Amino acid sequence: QLQLVESGGGLVQPGGSLRLSCAASVFTLRSFAIGWFRQAPEKEREEISCISSSGDTTNYADSVKGRFTISRDNARNTVYLQMNSLKPEDTAVYYCRSKLSCGSSVSFGSWGQGTQVTVSS
């Protein structure tokens, strides 16, 4: 099975920063595009960013554009999400998910546990 493990979440104040990591456990990450998703309480899950397998293409939801940066280090089998200027609205559980391409709405493989991000003063 495809398995990704998220880490790096925590409690931060508004305006603070966090860097999330998404690491592959039993497959080669470089073969796939990776999307970051989040789900806040009582809200629908949304995809907030994606990076192509090569790293040549990235995209961001309007809600995070300009504040978040996605990157990947295929040698380390890891994708990162740098989150700056965090807002309380960013509070959610964050997940990463493999995709064939960033243009596809379909993600696949096993879900990780997610990592909790809480932005509060």
Side-chain angles (χ1 to χ4, degrees):
Q1 285 187 314
L2 299 177
Q3 179 67 59
L4 299 173
V5 179
E6 305 91 345
S7 63
L11 174 64
V12 297
Q13 295 184 357
S17 298
L18 285 173
R19 187 178 70 170
L20 306 185
S21 297
C22 172
S25 58
V26 296
F27 69 98
T28 302
L29 191 72
R30 67 187 303 165
S31 298
F32 305 98
I34 299 294
W36 279 101
F37 301 77
R38 69 183 182 187
Q39 187 165 26
E42 307 299 322
K43 295 186 67 176
E44 193 172 342
R45 184 205 299 156
E46 62 173 337
E47 184 174 11
I48 57 170
S49 188
C50 185
I51 186 166
S52 64
S53 60
S54 67
D56 291 341
T57 300
T58 60
N59 58 46
Y60 302 91
D62 290 341
S63 58
V64 306
K65 190 173 184 179
R67 299 187 297 119
F68 292 9
T69 302
I70 191 170
S71 63
R72 66 190 301 155
D73 185 343
N74 286 337
R76 295 178 181 268
N77 227 21
T78 303
V79 169
Y80 303 97
L81 185 68
Q82 178 67 45
M83 307 187 297
N84 298 326
S85 302
L86 284 162
K87 305 175 181 179
E89 305 93 271
D90 296 319
T91 296
V93 178
Y94 285 71
Y95 302 89
C96 57
R97 190 84 161 153
S98 56
K99 306 176 69 174
L100 291 179
S101 72
C102 288
S104 174
S105 63
V106 179
S107 59
F108 54 91
S110 300
W111 287 95
Q113 296 298 306
T115 186
Q116 175 72 50
V117 172
T118 302
V119 185
S120 176
S121 59

